[in-house]
Amino acid sequence: MTPDLAILIAFAILQVGDAFSTLRFLKHGIKEANPVMVWLFDALDPLPALVITKVLIIVAAHGSMGAPYWTEAMLALCAFYAFIVVRNWRVVK
């Protein structure tokens, strides 16, 4: 497995973690902070909105593999989403 593929897999796992933690937030009555996602939740309901956006984000990340600074950008995004997922799970225990 190449390092870039490992990063992409980690990113995809973090996207799933973000989706599950968001659903957990909503279940406990905590509001979504991202206004774009709030709009999508209102338009589509949370689960389909999360599935669609997360799939599109992962596809875009895969499609941009090989671009200059892809590895560095994806590592930064992985760090960001790891922080978000850990924070979300700690907030709703």
Side-chain angles (χ1 to χ4, degrees), residues 71-84:
T71 302
E72 294 83 353
M74 290 304 297
L75 287 172
L77 284 170
C78 283
F80 171 76
Y81 276 102
F83 169 78
I84 295 298

Side-chain angles (χ1 to χ4, degrees), residues 1 10 15 23 70:
M1 177 182 315
Q15 292 304 304
L23 291 171
W70 183 90

